[in-house]
PDB file of all heavy atoms in Angstrom:
ATOM      1  N   LEU F   1       0.835  -1.199   0.000  1.00 96.00           N
ATOM      2  CA  LEU F   1       0.000   0.000   0.000  1.00 96.00           C
ATOM      3  C   LEU F   1       0.868   1.247   0.000  1.00 96.00           C
ATOM      4  O   LEU F   1       0.620   2.196  -0.736  1.00 96.00           O
ATOM      5  CB  LEU F   1      -0.928   0.006   1.220  1.00 96.00           C
ATOM      6  CG  LEU F   1      -1.743   1.280   1.431  1.00 96.00           C
ATOM      7  CD1 LEU F   1      -2.695   1.525   0.251  1.00 96.00           C
ATOM      8  CD2 LEU F   1      -2.495   1.211   2.742  1.00 96.00           C
ATOM      9  N   ARG F   2       1.932   1.249   0.788  1.00 96.00           N
ATOM     10  CA  ARG F   2       2.829   2.402   0.849  1.00 96.00           C
ATOM     11  C   ARG F   2       3.506   2.622  -0.508  1.00 96.00           C
ATOM     12  O   ARG F   2       3.624   3.745  -0.982  1.00 96.00           O
ATOM     13  CB  ARG F   2       3.880   2.197   1.937  1.00 96.00           C
ATOM     14  CG  ARG F   2       4.565   3.497   2.334  1.00 96.00           C
ATOM     15  CD  ARG F   2       6.055   3.411   2.075  1.00 96.00           C
ATOM     16  NE  ARG F   2       6.718   4.565   2.652  1.00 96.00           N
ATOM     17  CZ  ARG F   2       7.158   5.578   1.916  1.00 96.00           C
ATOM     18  NH1 ARG F   2       6.998   5.590   0.627  1.00 96.00           N
ATOM     19  NH2 ARG F   2       7.769   6.600   2.476  1.00 96.00           N
ATOM     20  N   ASN F   3       3.957   1.539  -1.152  1.00 95.00           N
ATOM     21  CA  ASN F   3       4.597   1.656  -2.465  1.00 95.00           C
ATOM     22  C   ASN F   3       3.604   2.178  -3.512  1.00 95.00           C
ATOM     23  O   ASN F   3       3.960   3.002  -4.355  1.00 95.00           O
ATOM     24  CB  ASN F   3       5.174   0.315  -2.899  1.00 95.00           C
ATOM     25  CG  ASN F   3       6.334  -0.127  -2.028  1.00 95.00           C
ATOM     26  OD1 ASN F   3       6.868   0.637  -1.240  1.00 95.00           O
ATOM     27  ND2 ASN F   3       6.703  -1.390  -2.152  1.00 95.00           N
ATOM     28  N   TRP F   4       2.362   1.716  -3.438  1.00 95.00           N
ATOM     29  CA  TRP F   4       1.330   2.207  -4.355  1.00 95.00           C
ATOM     30  C   TRP F   4       1.102   3.703  -4.137  1.00 95.00           C
ATOM     31  O   TRP F   4       1.010   4.474  -5.091  1.00 95.00           O
ATOM     32  CB  TRP F   4       0.028   1.426  -4.142  1.00 95.00           C
ATOM     33  CG  TRP F   4      -1.099   1.970  -4.939  1.00 95.00           C
ATOM     34  CD1 TRP F   4      -1.397   1.689  -6.245  1.00 95.00           C
ATOM     35  CD2 TRP F   4      -2.061   2.936  -4.506  1.00 95.00           C
ATOM     36  NE1 TRP F   4      -2.501   2.424  -6.635  1.00 95.00           N
ATOM     37  CE2 TRP F   4      -2.918   3.189  -5.586  1.00 95.00           C
ATOM     38  CE3 TRP F   4      -2.281   3.603  -3.296  1.00 95.00           C
ATOM     39  CZ2 TRP F   4      -3.978   4.083  -5.501  1.00 95.00           C
ATOM     40  CZ3 TRP F   4      -3.336   4.498  -3.210  1.00 95.00           C
ATOM     41  CH2 TRP F   4      -4.172   4.726  -4.306  1.00 95.00           C
ATOM     42  N   ALA F   5       1.012   4.118  -2.875  1.00 96.00           N
ATOM     43  CA  ALA F   5       0.812   5.534  -2.568  1.00 96.00           C
ATOM     44  C   ALA F   5       1.976   6.370  -3.092  1.00 96.00           C
ATOM     45  O   ALA F   5       1.783   7.474  -3.590  1.00 96.00           O
ATOM     46  CB  ALA F   5       0.653   5.735  -1.066  1.00 96.00           C
ATOM     47  N   HIS F   6       3.186   5.821  -3.030  1.00 94.00           N
ATOM     48  CA  HIS F   6       4.363   6.528  -3.535  1.00 94.00           C
ATOM     49  C   HIS F   6       4.278   6.713  -5.048  1.00 94.00           C
ATOM     50  O   HIS F   6       4.594   7.783  -5.576  1.00 94.00           O
ATOM     51  CB  HIS F   6       5.618   5.760  -3.148  1.00 94.00           C
ATOM     52  CG  HIS F   6       6.852   6.587  -3.155  1.00 94.00           C
ATOM     53  ND1 HIS F   6       8.034   6.133  -2.648  1.00 94.00           N
ATOM     54  CD2 HIS F   6       7.119   7.830  -3.617  1.00 94.00           C
ATOM     55  CE1 HIS F   6       8.958   7.068  -2.792  1.00 94.00           C
ATOM     56  NE2 HIS F   6       8.418   8.103  -3.388  1.00 94.00           N
ATOM     57  N   GLU F   7       3.844   5.687  -5.774  1.00 93.00           N
ATOM     58  CA  GLU F   7       3.662   5.807  -7.228  1.00 93.00           C
ATOM     59  C   GLU F   7       2.602   6.865  -7.553  1.00 93.00           C
ATOM     60  O   GLU F   7       2.786   7.678  -8.458  1.00 93.00           O
ATOM     61  CB  GLU F   7       3.245   4.466  -7.837  1.00 93.00           C
ATOM     62  CG  GLU F   7       4.357   3.458  -7.973  1.00 93.00           C
ATOM     63  CD  GLU F   7       5.346   3.770  -9.087  1.00 93.00           C
ATOM     64  OE1 GLU F   7       5.099   4.672  -9.913  1.00 93.00           O
ATOM     65  OE2 GLU F   7       6.385   3.111  -9.128  1.00 93.00           O
ATOM     66  N   GLN F   8       1.509   6.869  -6.788  1.00 94.00           N
ATOM     67  CA  GLN F   8       0.465   7.865  -6.998  1.00 94.00           C
ATOM     68  C   GLN F   8       0.989   9.262  -6.692  1.00 94.00           C
ATOM     69  O   GLN F   8       0.626  10.235  -7.349  1.00 94.00           O
ATOM     70  CB  GLN F   8      -0.764   7.553  -6.137  1.00 94.00           C
ATOM     71  CG  GLN F   8      -1.426   6.242  -6.451  1.00 94.00           C
ATOM     72  CD  GLN F   8      -1.740   6.075  -7.922  1.00 94.00           C
ATOM     73  OE1 GLN F   8      -2.344   6.943  -8.523  1.00 94.00           O
ATOM     74  NE2 GLN F   8      -1.315   4.973  -8.485  1.00 94.00           N
ATOM     75  N   PHE F   9       1.869   9.353  -5.705  1.00 94.00           N
ATOM     76  CA  PHE F   9       2.470  10.627  -5.340  1.00 94.00           C
ATOM     77  C   PHE F   9       3.207  11.232  -6.532  1.00 94.00           C
ATOM     78  O   PHE F   9       3.096  12.428  -6.793  1.00 94.00           O
ATOM     79  CB  PHE F   9       3.429  10.408  -4.164  1.00 94.00           C
ATOM     80  CG  PHE F   9       4.154  11.650  -3.721  1.00 94.00           C
ATOM     81  CD1 PHE F   9       3.559  12.530  -2.835  1.00 94.00           C
ATOM     82  CD2 PHE F   9       5.429  11.926  -4.177  1.00 94.00           C
ATOM     83  CE1 PHE F   9       4.218  13.677  -2.409  1.00 94.00           C
ATOM     84  CE2 PHE F   9       6.099  13.067  -3.762  1.00 94.00           C
ATOM     85  CZ  PHE F   9       5.498  13.939  -2.877  1.00 94.00           C
ATOM     86  N   PHE F  10       3.961  10.411  -7.280  1.00 90.00           N
ATOM     87  CA  PHE F  10       4.684  10.918  -8.448  1.00 90.00           C
ATOM     88  C   PHE F  10       3.717  11.478  -9.494  1.00 90.00           C
ATOM     89  O   PHE F  10       3.948  12.543 -10.070  1.00 90.00           O
ATOM     90  CB  PHE F  10       5.541   9.831  -9.088  1.00 90.00           C
ATOM     91  CG  PHE F  10       6.696   9.389  -8.228  1.00 90.00           C
ATOM     92  CD1 PHE F  10       7.015   8.052  -8.134  1.00 90.00           C
ATOM     93  CD2 PHE F  10       7.459  10.301  -7.526  1.00 90.00           C
ATOM     94  CE1 PHE F  10       8.082   7.635  -7.351  1.00 90.00           C
ATOM     95  CE2 PHE F  10       8.520   9.897  -6.736  1.00 90.00           C
ATOM     96  CZ  PHE F  10       8.828   8.552  -6.650  1.00 90.00           C
ATOM     97  N   THR F  11       2.641  10.751  -9.738  1.00 90.00           N
ATOM     98  CA  THR F  11       1.644  11.210 -10.708  1.00 90.00           C
ATOM     99  C   THR F  11       1.022  12.530 -10.256  1.00 90.00           C
ATOM    100  O   THR F  11       0.908  13.472 -11.039  1.00 90.00           O
ATOM    101  CB  THR F  11       0.538  10.155 -10.872  1.00 90.00           C
ATOM    102  OG1 THR F  11       1.131   8.930 -11.298  1.00 90.00           O
ATOM    103  CG2 THR F  11      -0.504  10.587 -11.877  1.00 90.00           C
ATOM    104  N   GLU F  12       0.636  12.587  -9.001  1.00 93.00           N
ATOM    105  CA  GLU F  12       0.004  13.794  -8.470  1.00 93.00           C
ATOM    106  C   GLU F  12       0.984  14.960  -8.388  1.00 93.00           C
ATOM    107  O   GLU F  12       0.608  16.109  -8.563  1.00 93.00           O
ATOM    108  CB  GLU F  12      -0.619  13.519  -7.100  1.00 93.00           C
ATOM    109  CG  GLU F  12      -1.803  12.586  -7.160  1.00 93.00           C
ATOM    110  CD  GLU F  12      -2.928  13.114  -8.036  1.00 93.00           C
ATOM    111  OE1 GLU F  12      -3.239  14.317  -7.990  1.00 93.00           O
ATOM    112  OE2 GLU F  12      -3.506  12.310  -8.784  1.00 93.00           O
ATOM    113  N   GLN F  13       2.252  14.659  -8.157  1.00 91.00           N
ATOM    114  CA  GLN F  13       3.259  15.714  -8.111  1.00 91.00           C
ATOM    115  C   GLN F  13       3.400  16.372  -9.486  1.00 91.00           C
ATOM    116  O   GLN F  13       3.546  17.582  -9.590  1.00 91.00           O
ATOM    117  CB  GLN F  13       4.585  15.130  -7.640  1.00 91.00           C
ATOM    118  CG  GLN F  13       5.610  16.158  -7.255  1.00 91.00           C
ATOM    119  CD  GLN F  13       6.832  15.519  -6.642  1.00 91.00           C
ATOM    120  OE1 GLN F  13       7.235  14.426  -7.016  1.00 91.00           O
ATOM    121  NE2 GLN F  13       7.437  16.203  -5.690  1.00 91.00           N
ATOM    122  N   HIS F  14       3.339  15.563 -10.532  1.00 89.00           N
ATOM    123  CA  HIS F  14       3.384  16.106 -11.893  1.00 89.00           C
ATOM    124  C   HIS F  14       2.178  17.013 -12.124  1.00 89.00           C
ATOM    125  O   HIS F  14       2.314  18.130 -12.636  1.00 89.00           O
ATOM    126  CB  HIS F  14       3.410  14.976 -12.915  1.00 89.00           C
ATOM    127  CG  HIS F  14       3.333  15.438 -14.327  1.00 89.00           C
ATOM    128  ND1 HIS F  14       4.363  16.086 -14.959  1.00 89.00           N
ATOM    129  CD2 HIS F  14       2.326  15.384 -15.230  1.00 89.00           C
ATOM    130  CE1 HIS F  14       4.004  16.401 -16.187  1.00 89.00           C
ATOM    131  NE2 HIS F  14       2.764  15.986 -16.370  1.00 89.00           N
ATOM    132  N   TYR F  15       0.999  16.547 -11.724  1.00 89.00           N
ATOM    133  CA  TYR F  15      -0.216  17.349 -11.865  1.00 89.00           C
ATOM    134  C   TYR F  15      -0.093  18.647 -11.060  1.00 89.00           C
ATOM    135  O   TYR F  15      -0.460  19.719 -11.528  1.00 89.00           O
ATOM    136  CB  TYR F  15      -1.439  16.550 -11.411  1.00 89.00           C
ATOM    137  CG  TYR F  15      -2.703  17.367 -11.373  1.00 89.00           C
ATOM    138  CD1 TYR F  15      -3.365  17.715 -12.548  1.00 89.00           C
ATOM    139  CD2 TYR F  15      -3.223  17.822 -10.163  1.00 89.00           C
ATOM    140  CE1 TYR F  15      -4.516  18.478 -12.518  1.00 89.00           C
ATOM    141  CE2 TYR F  15      -4.369  18.587 -10.123  1.00 89.00           C
ATOM    142  CZ  TYR F  15      -5.009  18.912 -11.304  1.00 89.00           C
ATOM    143  OH  TYR F  15      -6.145  19.675 -11.263  1.00 89.00           O
ATOM    144  N   MET F  16       0.454  18.546  -9.847  1.00 91.00           N
ATOM    145  CA  MET F  16       0.611  19.712  -8.985  1.00 91.00           C
ATOM    146  C   MET F  16       1.518  20.751  -9.655  1.00 91.00           C
ATOM    147  O   MET F  16       1.240  21.945  -9.615  1.00 91.00           O
ATOM    148  CB  MET F  16       1.224  19.302  -7.647  1.00 91.00           C
ATOM    149  CG  MET F  16       1.516  20.464  -6.710  1.00 91.00           C
ATOM    150  SD  MET F  16       2.655  20.043  -5.369  1.00 91.00           S
ATOM    151  CE  MET F  16       4.182  19.836  -6.261  1.00 91.00           C
ATOM    152  N   ASN F  17       2.594  20.300 -10.282  1.00 90.00           N
ATOM    153  CA  ASN F  17       3.511  21.225 -10.944  1.00 90.00           C
ATOM    154  C   ASN F  17       2.827  21.964 -12.087  1.00 90.00           C
ATOM    155  O   ASN F  17       3.185  23.094 -12.402  1.00 90.00           O
ATOM    156  CB  ASN F  17       4.746  20.495 -11.447  1.00 90.00           C
ATOM    157  CG  ASN F  17       5.649  20.053 -10.320  1.00 90.00           C
ATOM    158  OD1 ASN F  17       5.642  20.627  -9.242  1.00 90.00           O
ATOM    159  ND2 ASN F  17       6.429  19.015 -10.566  1.00 90.00           N
ATOM    160  N   MET F  18       1.855  21.309 -12.718  1.00 90.00           N
ATOM    161  CA  MET F  18       1.157  21.935 -13.836  1.00 90.00           C
ATOM    162  C   MET F  18       0.019  22.848 -13.346  1.00 90.00           C
ATOM    163  O   MET F  18      -0.239  23.878 -13.935  1.00 90.00           O
ATOM    164  CB  MET F  18       0.594  20.868 -14.772  1.00 90.00           C
ATOM    165  CG  MET F  18       1.602  19.830 -15.179  1.00 90.00           C
ATOM    166  SD  MET F  18       2.187  19.824 -16.845  1.00 90.00           S
ATOM    167  CE  MET F  18       0.867  20.186 -17.859  1.00 90.00           C
ATOM    168  N   SER F  19      -0.654  22.443 -12.260  1.00 93.00           N
ATOM    169  CA  SER F  19      -1.857  23.159 -11.823  1.00 93.00           C
ATOM    170  C   SER F  19      -1.651  24.051 -10.606  1.00 93.00           C
ATOM    171  O   SER F  19      -2.430  24.971 -10.393  1.00 93.00           O
ATOM    172  CB  SER F  19      -2.964  22.151 -11.507  1.00 93.00           C
ATOM    173  OG  SER F  19      -2.633  21.437 -10.327  1.00 93.00           O
ATOM    174  N   GLY F  20      -0.667  23.719  -9.796  1.00 92.00           N
ATOM    175  CA  GLY F  20      -0.474  24.465  -8.554  1.00 92.00           C
ATOM    176  C   GLY F  20      -1.304  23.942  -7.393  1.00 92.00           C
ATOM    177  O   GLY F  20      -1.215  24.446  -6.280  1.00 92.00           O
ATOM    178  N   ASP F  21      -2.119  22.923  -7.625  1.00 92.00           N
ATOM    179  CA  ASP F  21      -2.975  22.341  -6.585  1.00 92.00           C
ATOM    180  C   ASP F  21      -2.168  21.302  -5.805  1.00 92.00           C
ATOM    181  O   ASP F  21      -1.787  20.269  -6.353  1.00 92.00           O
ATOM    182  CB  ASP F  21      -4.201  21.701  -7.238  1.00 92.00           C
ATOM    183  CG  ASP F  21      -5.175  21.147  -6.217  1.00 92.00           C
ATOM    184  OD1 ASP F  21      -4.942  21.292  -5.002  1.00 92.00           O
ATOM    185  OD2 ASP F  21      -6.181  20.554  -6.646  1.00 92.00           O
ATOM    186  N   THR F  22      -1.924  21.555  -4.536  1.00 92.00           N
ATOM    187  CA  THR F  22      -1.071  20.678  -3.728  1.00 92.00           C
ATOM    188  C   THR F  22      -1.845  19.717  -2.826  1.00 92.00           C
ATOM    189  O   THR F  22      -1.233  18.919  -2.126  1.00 92.00           O
ATOM    190  CB  THR F  22      -0.139  21.516  -2.832  1.00 92.00           C
ATOM    191  OG1 THR F  22      -0.945  22.272  -1.919  1.00 92.00           O
ATOM    192  CG2 THR F  22       0.736  22.441  -3.647  1.00 92.00           C
ATOM    193  N   ARG F  23      -3.172  19.772  -2.838  1.00 94.00           N
ATOM    194  CA  ARG F  23      -3.952  18.986  -1.873  1.00 94.00           C
ATOM    195  C   ARG F  23      -3.693  17.489  -1.960  1.00 94.00           C
ATOM    196  O   ARG F  23      -3.450  16.841  -0.947  1.00 94.00           O
ATOM    197  CB  ARG F  23      -5.444  19.257  -2.042  1.00 94.00           C
ATOM    198  CG  ARG F  23      -5.842  20.649  -1.565  1.00 94.00           C
ATOM    199  CD  ARG F  23      -7.272  20.919  -1.849  1.00 94.00           C
ATOM    200  NE  ARG F  23      -7.431  20.989  -3.310  1.00 94.00           N
ATOM    201  CZ  ARG F  23      -8.555  21.279  -3.918  1.00 94.00           C
ATOM    202  NH1 ARG F  23      -9.639  21.505  -3.222  1.00 94.00           N
ATOM    203  NH2 ARG F  23      -8.615  21.348  -5.216  1.00 94.00           N
ATOM    204  N   SER F  24      -3.731  16.924  -3.161  1.00 93.00           N
ATOM    205  CA  SER F  24      -3.575  15.466  -3.269  1.00 93.00           C
ATOM    206  C   SER F  24      -2.160  15.030  -2.884  1.00 93.00           C
ATOM    207  O   SER F  24      -1.981  13.987  -2.255  1.00 93.00           O
ATOM    208  CB  SER F  24      -3.923  14.989  -4.679  1.00 93.00           C
ATOM    209  OG  SER F  24      -3.093  15.616  -5.640  1.00 93.00           O
ATOM    210  N   VAL F  25      -1.168  15.842  -3.216  1.00 94.00           N
ATOM    211  CA  VAL F  25       0.212  15.515  -2.844  1.00 94.00           C
ATOM    212  C   VAL F  25       0.358  15.545  -1.323  1.00 94.00           C
ATOM    213  O   VAL F  25       0.996  14.671  -0.735  1.00 94.00           O
ATOM    214  CB  VAL F  25       1.200  16.492  -3.529  1.00 94.00           C
ATOM    215  CG1 VAL F  25       2.601  16.316  -3.012  1.00 94.00           C
ATOM    216  CG2 VAL F  25       1.179  16.299  -5.033  1.00 94.00           C
ATOM    217  N   ASN F  26      -0.259  16.533  -0.695  1.00 95.00           N
ATOM    218  CA  ASN F  26      -0.192  16.628   0.770  1.00 95.00           C
ATOM    219  C   ASN F  26      -0.860  15.427   1.438  1.00 95.00           C
ATOM    220  O   ASN F  26      -0.333  14.890   2.424  1.00 95.00           O
ATOM    221  CB  ASN F  26      -0.846  17.924   1.251  1.00 95.00           C
ATOM    222  CG  ASN F  26      -0.080  19.152   0.809  1.00 95.00           C
ATOM    223  OD1 ASN F  26       1.083  19.074   0.426  1.00 95.00           O
ATOM    224  ND2 ASN F  26      -0.744  20.294   0.836  1.00 95.00           N
ATOM    225  N   VAL F  27      -1.998  15.004   0.919  1.00 96.00           N
ATOM    226  CA  VAL F  27      -2.701  13.851   1.484  1.00 96.00           C
ATOM    227  C   VAL F  27      -1.862  12.592   1.342  1.00 96.00           C
ATOM    228  O   VAL F  27      -1.706  11.813   2.293  1.00 96.00           O
ATOM    229  CB  VAL F  27      -4.086  13.663   0.821  1.00 96.00           C
ATOM    230  CG1 VAL F  27      -4.688  12.315   1.187  1.00 96.00           C
ATOM    231  CG2 VAL F  27      -5.020  14.788   1.202  1.00 96.00           C
ATOM    232  N   LEU F  28      -1.291  12.370   0.162  1.00 95.00           N
ATOM    233  CA  LEU F  28      -0.480  11.174  -0.055  1.00 95.00           C
ATOM    234  C   LEU F  28       0.777  11.184   0.820  1.00 95.00           C
ATOM    235  O   LEU F  28       1.171  10.149   1.364  1.00 95.00           O
ATOM    236  CB  LEU F  28      -0.109  11.035  -1.533  1.00 95.00           C
ATOM    237  CG  LEU F  28      -1.266  10.623  -2.434  1.00 95.00           C
ATOM    238  CD1 LEU F  28      -0.902  10.830  -3.902  1.00 95.00           C
ATOM    239  CD2 LEU F  28      -1.675   9.186  -2.181  1.00 95.00           C
ATOM    240  N   GLN F  29       1.420  12.336   0.971  1.00 95.00           N
ATOM    241  CA  GLN F  29       2.604  12.420   1.828  1.00 95.00           C
ATOM    242  C   GLN F  29       2.240  12.131   3.279  1.00 95.00           C
ATOM    243  O   GLN F  29       2.960  11.422   3.978  1.00 95.00           O
ATOM    244  CB  GLN F  29       3.250  13.802   1.715  1.00 95.00           C
ATOM    245  CG  GLN F  29       4.561  13.918   2.489  1.00 95.00           C
ATOM    246  CD  GLN F  29       5.612  12.972   1.959  1.00 95.00           C
ATOM    247  OE1 GLN F  29       6.001  13.062   0.814  1.00 95.00           O
ATOM    248  NE2 GLN F  29       6.068  12.059   2.788  1.00 95.00           N
ATOM    249  N   THR F  30       1.104  12.639   3.719  1.00 96.00           N
ATOM    250  CA  THR F  30       0.643  12.372   5.083  1.00 96.00           C
ATOM    251  C   THR F  30       0.358  10.884   5.276  1.00 96.00           C
ATOM    252  O   THR F  30       0.716  10.300   6.305  1.00 96.00           O
ATOM    253  CB  THR F  30      -0.614  13.211   5.404  1.00 96.00           C
ATOM    254  OG1 THR F  30      -0.284  14.597   5.230  1.00 96.00           O
ATOM    255  CG2 THR F  30      -1.107  12.967   6.801  1.00 96.00           C
ATOM    256  N   LEU F  31      -0.275  10.260   4.281  1.00 96.00           N
ATOM    257  CA  LEU F  31      -0.543   8.824   4.343  1.00 96.00           C
ATOM    258  C   LEU F  31       0.758   8.031   4.430  1.00 96.00           C
ATOM    259  O   LEU F  31       0.888   7.127   5.266  1.00 96.00           O
ATOM    260  CB  LEU F  31      -1.347   8.377   3.115  1.00 96.00           C
ATOM    261  CG  LEU F  31      -1.534   6.880   2.947  1.00 96.00           C
ATOM    262  CD1 LEU F  31      -2.382   6.306   4.077  1.00 96.00           C
ATOM    263  CD2 LEU F  31      -2.154   6.565   1.600  1.00 96.00           C
ATOM    264  N   MET F  32       1.740   8.356   3.588  1.00 96.00           N
ATOM    265  CA  MET F  32       3.019   7.630   3.620  1.00 96.00           C
ATOM    266  C   MET F  32       3.717   7.827   4.960  1.00 96.00           C
ATOM    267  O   MET F  32       4.280   6.870   5.516  1.00 96.00           O
ATOM    268  CB  MET F  32       3.912   8.069   2.462  1.00 96.00           C
ATOM    269  CG  MET F  32       3.412   7.596   1.117  1.00 96.00           C
ATOM    270  SD  MET F  32       4.548   7.915  -0.253  1.00 96.00           S
ATOM    271  CE  MET F  32       4.550   9.697  -0.336  1.00 96.00           C
ATOM    272  N   ASN F  33       3.680   9.040   5.516  1.00 97.00           N
ATOM    273  CA  ASN F  33       4.284   9.291   6.830  1.00 97.00           C
ATOM    274  C   ASN F  33       3.616   8.454   7.912  1.00 97.00           C
ATOM    275  O   ASN F  33       4.292   7.863   8.750  1.00 97.00           O
ATOM    276  CB  ASN F  33       4.201  10.773   7.190  1.00 97.00           C
ATOM    277  CG  ASN F  33       5.135  11.624   6.366  1.00 97.00           C
ATOM    278  OD1 ASN F  33       6.074  11.133   5.747  1.00 97.00           O
ATOM    279  ND2 ASN F  33       4.862  12.911   6.339  1.00 97.00           N
ATOM    280  N   LYS F  34       2.298   8.397   7.886  1.00 96.00           N
ATOM    281  CA  LYS F  34       1.558   7.618   8.889  1.00 96.00           C
ATOM    282  C   LYS F  34       1.900   6.129   8.775  1.00 96.00           C
ATOM    283  O   LYS F  34       2.112   5.458   9.780  1.00 96.00           O
ATOM    284  CB  LYS F  34       0.057   7.842   8.737  1.00 96.00           C
ATOM    285  CG  LYS F  34      -0.755   7.185   9.832  1.00 96.00           C
ATOM    286  CD  LYS F  34      -2.179   7.664   9.786  1.00 96.00           C
ATOM    287  CE  LYS F  34      -3.000   7.113  10.910  1.00 96.00           C
ATOM    288  NZ  LYS F  34      -2.769   7.732  12.197  1.00 96.00           N
ATOM    289  N   LEU F  35       1.963   5.628   7.548  1.00 96.00           N
ATOM    290  CA  LEU F  35       2.325   4.220   7.358  1.00 96.00           C
ATOM    291  C   LEU F  35       3.731   3.937   7.885  1.00 96.00           C
ATOM    292  O   LEU F  35       3.980   2.898   8.491  1.00 96.00           O
ATOM    293  CB  LEU F  35       2.218   3.836   5.880  1.00 96.00           C
ATOM    294  CG  LEU F  35       0.798   3.739   5.317  1.00 96.00           C
ATOM    295  CD1 LEU F  35       0.841   3.592   3.801  1.00 96.00           C
ATOM    296  CD2 LEU F  35       0.030   2.599   5.950  1.00 96.00           C
ATOM    297  N   ASP F  36       4.642   4.873   7.666  1.00 96.00           N
ATOM    298  CA  ASP F  36       6.021   4.692   8.147  1.00 96.00           C
ATOM    299  C   ASP F  36       6.075   4.739   9.672  1.00 96.00           C
ATOM    300  O   ASP F  36       6.660   3.854  10.309  1.00 96.00           O
ATOM    301  CB  ASP F  36       6.942   5.774   7.580  1.00 96.00           C
ATOM    302  CG  ASP F  36       7.227   5.605   6.088  1.00 96.00           C
ATOM    303  OD1 ASP F  36       6.875   4.547   5.526  1.00 96.00           O
ATOM    304  OD2 ASP F  36       7.791   6.535   5.488  1.00 96.00           O
ATOM    305  N   TRP F  37       5.484   5.756  10.265  1.00 96.00           N
ATOM    306  CA  TRP F  37       5.604   5.965  11.705  1.00 96.00           C
ATOM    307  C   TRP F  37       4.797   4.968  12.525  1.00 96.00           C
ATOM    308  O   TRP F  37       5.274   4.465  13.532  1.00 96.00           O
ATOM    309  CB  TRP F  37       5.155   7.369  12.082  1.00 96.00           C
ATOM    310  CG  TRP F  37       6.004   8.462  11.493  1.00 96.00           C
ATOM    311  CD1 TRP F  37       7.326   8.388  11.138  1.00 96.00           C
ATOM    312  CD2 TRP F  37       5.596   9.785  11.179  1.00 96.00           C
ATOM    313  NE1 TRP F  37       7.759   9.579  10.622  1.00 96.00           N
ATOM    314  CE2 TRP F  37       6.711  10.465  10.631  1.00 96.00           C
ATOM    315  CE3 TRP F  37       4.401  10.470  11.287  1.00 96.00           C
ATOM    316  CZ2 TRP F  37       6.657  11.795  10.222  1.00 96.00           C
ATOM    317  CZ3 TRP F  37       4.362  11.791  10.879  1.00 96.00           C
ATOM    318  CH2 TRP F  37       5.475  12.438  10.357  1.00 96.00           C
ATOM    319  N   GLU F  38       3.569   4.685  12.091  1.00 95.00           N
ATOM    320  CA  GLU F  38       2.687   3.871  12.922  1.00 95.00           C
ATOM    321  C   GLU F  38       2.650   2.394  12.551  1.00 95.00           C
ATOM    322  O   GLU F  38       2.287   1.567  13.373  1.00 95.00           O
ATOM    323  CB  GLU F  38       1.264   4.445  12.898  1.00 95.00           C
ATOM    324  CG  GLU F  38       1.181   5.802  13.569  1.00 95.00           C
ATOM    325  CD  GLU F  38      -0.233   6.318  13.668  1.00 95.00           C
ATOM    326  OE1 GLU F  38      -1.180   5.506  13.627  1.00 95.00           O
ATOM    327  OE2 GLU F  38      -0.381   7.547  13.792  1.00 95.00           O
TER     328      GLU F  38
END
């Protein structure tokens, strides 16, 4: 699940660079952090 979220993060990061919308990248980063820490 963490690896899948990381792949999605790359896709969303590309979208963020084009649109300026950071919400999905922030959510995915928070999810990956939670999976790592907890």
Side-chain angles (χ1 to χ4, degrees):
L1 173 62
R2 197 240 189 256
N3 293 348
W4 174 84
H6 201 170
E7 284 287 350
Q8 298 308 309
F9 178 84
F10 292 138
T11 302
E12 292 301 318
Q13 193 173 34
H14 175 71
Y15 173 75
M16 176 197 70
N17 289 335
M18 310 251 321
S19 70
D21 183 3
T22 63
R23 289 175 293 183
S24 59
V25 172
N26 294 343
V27 168
L28 288 167
Q29 185 63 61
T30 302
L31 172 65
M32 290 187 294
N33 289 343
K34 186 169 184 76
L35 289 170
D36 289 350
W37 296 333
E38 293 185 23

